[in-house]
Amino acid sequence: MIRYVKQMGFRVRDIIHVQDEAGILRYYAEEHAPSWRKKLVVYDPDSKPVAFIQVKGFILRPYYSVVVNGTEVARIKKNFQMLGRQFEFLDWAWDVDCSPYGYEYDVSFNGTPVIFVNKKLISWGDYYRVEIDESLDELVGVAIVLAVDCACFDSRRSIYY
């Protein structure tokens, strides 16, 4: 299935829309910051929270916990690299293969590619085309894409610290 992820540009709080090919809103995500450890909450179209991505760990080496329907499904961290981006999933059978600057990446589960992401280079806010394999739950796929985005651009966005 194809999904489009669009971050609304130039806002005080991050707002991200996830739409299907027909332009129908499937999910949206907003920054939620009641404490110093920020999190991004994912809502269904009826405004029910269904997932969240939260920064955990130490300040210098944080990781992003992905929780869907109350269950942690993945943890991802960004590894230091002079040029480009490198990510690592912790404790699960996930793997990510990223282009040098994070504009394209594939996510695999148990060695099988299940998510393919392409970022539009010039847009008002971040804009991604996401292809999620039918074998993977759509919400899990969307939450993982949002977590990789958080990890990828954490130094640019202050809300994730």
Side-chain angles (χ1 to χ4, degrees):
M1 69 195 85
I2 306 292
R3 296 293 178 254
Y4 296 95
V5 176
K6 170 111 173 108
Q7 178 189 6
M8 310 312 278
F10 301 107
R11 297 186 184 254
V12 174
R13 292 175 22 161
D14 265 355
I15 299 173
I16 300 169
H17 289 171
V18 179
Q19 300 174 332
D20 63 14
E21 290 179 286
I24 297 170
L25 183 69
R26 301 287 297 168
Y27 303 99
Y28 68 96
E30 291 183 341
E31 171 194 3
H32 184 266
S35 68
W36 71 280
R37 292 305 252 182
K38 313 295 188 206
K39 71 178 175 181
L40 192 67
V41 181
V42 181
Y43 299 91
D44 67 10
D46 298 325
S47 298
K48 177 185 170 195
V50 292
F52 66 86
I53 295 94
Q54 185 169 19
V55 176
K56 293 191 174 183
F58 296 103
I59 297 292
L60 296 176
R61 297 282 301 184
Y63 67 89
Y64 300 83
S65 173
V66 180
V67 177
V68 175
N69 293 321
T71 304
E72 188 175 49
V73 296
R75 290 186 289 172
I76 185 170
K77 72 175 182 175
K78 180 180 173 183
N79 291 328
F80 178 76
Q81 190 172 342
M82 290 299 287
L83 295 173
R85 294 179 171 82
Q86 182 180 8
F87 305 98
E88 177 183 356
F89 281 93
L90 308 171
D91 300 337
W92 281 272
W94 297 96
D95 189 31
V96 63
D97 181 25
C98 192
S99 68
Y101 294 100
Y103 293 107
E104 292 184 355
Y105 59 90
D106 302 337
V107 177
S108 301
F109 185 72
N110 288 330
T112 304
V114 291
I115 304 171
F116 308 94
V117 179
N118 294 309
K119 180 178 181 189
K120 187 174 181 181
L121 293 177
I122 301 173
S123 67
W124 196 266
D126 290 340
Y127 187 78
Y128 298 92
R129 179 184 183 275
V130 179
E131 185 175 342
I132 301 170
D133 190 271
E134 299 295 331
S135 66
L136 183 65
D137 179 66
E138 173 189 16
L139 181 55
V140 171
V142 166
I144 286 176
V145 168
L146 294 176
V148 170
D149 181 61
C150 290
C152 188
F153 297 104
D154 62 3
S155 61
R156 185 179 76 178
R157 296 187 198 147
S158 61
I159 69 161
Y160 298 114
Y161 280 125

